[in-house]
Amino acid sequence: MAVKEIPSLLAAVRTLSSDKITESSSNGDETEYEALPSPPQPTSPKPTSVPLENDDSTRVFAHCWETAEAQPTAKGMACTLLLGLFSTDVLLKSNLTGGVNKVDPSAEIRQPLDPKKLTALLNAVVQQHPGAKIPDIQTAIKIRICELRHQEKKKSMDN
């Protein structure tokens, strides 16, 4: 909550520091004190999040979008957005469609990733990389989730 108030506090400080303070002296003369020069005002503040869909319902942090957009491949962009849309805990317990593990049917049943977020991710990647194929992007996502599970398993074995 306090973080949301920082921009308005900074604006108030800038306004106060740029105003001239006029003080009446005891003999009736007015003395003006110049305030410190205010820093240049930004033209427009950067948004903290960016919508992936036109309906504005699926958003990622602006720095995540910038990083994803800078990826040279559709797969790289998809994996970056994946980590921006879903927490690591969700990814470790999920897969694209949910259900039983095909390799180990006795393993824990995985939950499907949020289909709305997943669709927004796929659409955003295809929009930025028009030649990308959805099945290839989905495969990259599956591989990234498997890598996360492997890293987590390795981490727990080292401890």
Side-chain angles (χ1 to χ4, degrees), residues 8-144:
S8 61
L9 290 173
L10 286 173
V13 169
R14 285 185 187 125
T15 302
L16 289 174
S17 68
S18 66
D19 291 339
K20 292 182 179 180
I21 302 171
T22 305
E23 179 182 293
S24 296
S25 63
S26 60
N27 61 7
D29 295 333
E30 289 203 6
T31 309
E32 290 186 0
Y33 297 95
E34 281 293 324
L36 294 173
S38 62
Q41 295 285 335
T43 53
S44 62
K46 278 191 168 183
T48 56
S49 64
V50 176
L52 290 185
E53 290 285 324
N54 290 336
D55 66 1
D56 204 33
S57 63
T58 304
R59 301 178 72 85
V60 293
F61 286 112
H63 70 275
C64 176
W65 174 253
E66 290 167 4
T67 304
E69 200 174 29
Q71 296 298 315
T73 65
K75 293 175 184 180
M77 183 178 190
C79 290
T80 302
L81 287 175
L82 180 73
L83 296 173
L85 285 171
F86 300 99
S87 71
T88 304
D89 290 337
V90 167
L91 293 172
L92 291 173
K93 296 175 183 174
S94 304
N95 61 25
L96 285 181
T97 58
V100 178
N101 185 328
K102 293 177 181 85
V103 176
D104 182 9
S106 65
E108 181 182 344
I109 294 176
R110 305 268 183 219
Q111 297 300 312
L113 290 175
D114 181 338
K116 188 169 183 140
K117 288 182 180 181
L118 191 57
T119 300
L121 181 153
L122 294 170
N123 290 340
V125 172
V126 169
Q127 186 174 7
Q128 290 294 315
H129 298 273
K133 295 183 176 119
I134 300 258
D136 294 339
I137 299 168
Q138 290 172 325
T139 300
I141 290 170
K142 290 174 190 176
I143 290 169
R144 183 65 183 121

Side-chain angles (χ1 to χ4, degrees), residues 143-159:
I143 290 169
R144 183 65 183 121
I145 292 172
C146 287
E147 288 171 349
L148 287 172
R149 286 193 195 114
H150 179 73
Q151 290 169 355
E152 190 67 22
K153 186 175 180 180
K154 187 176 179 183
K155 196 186 311 182
S156 67
M157 291 174 71
D158 289 342
N159 291 334

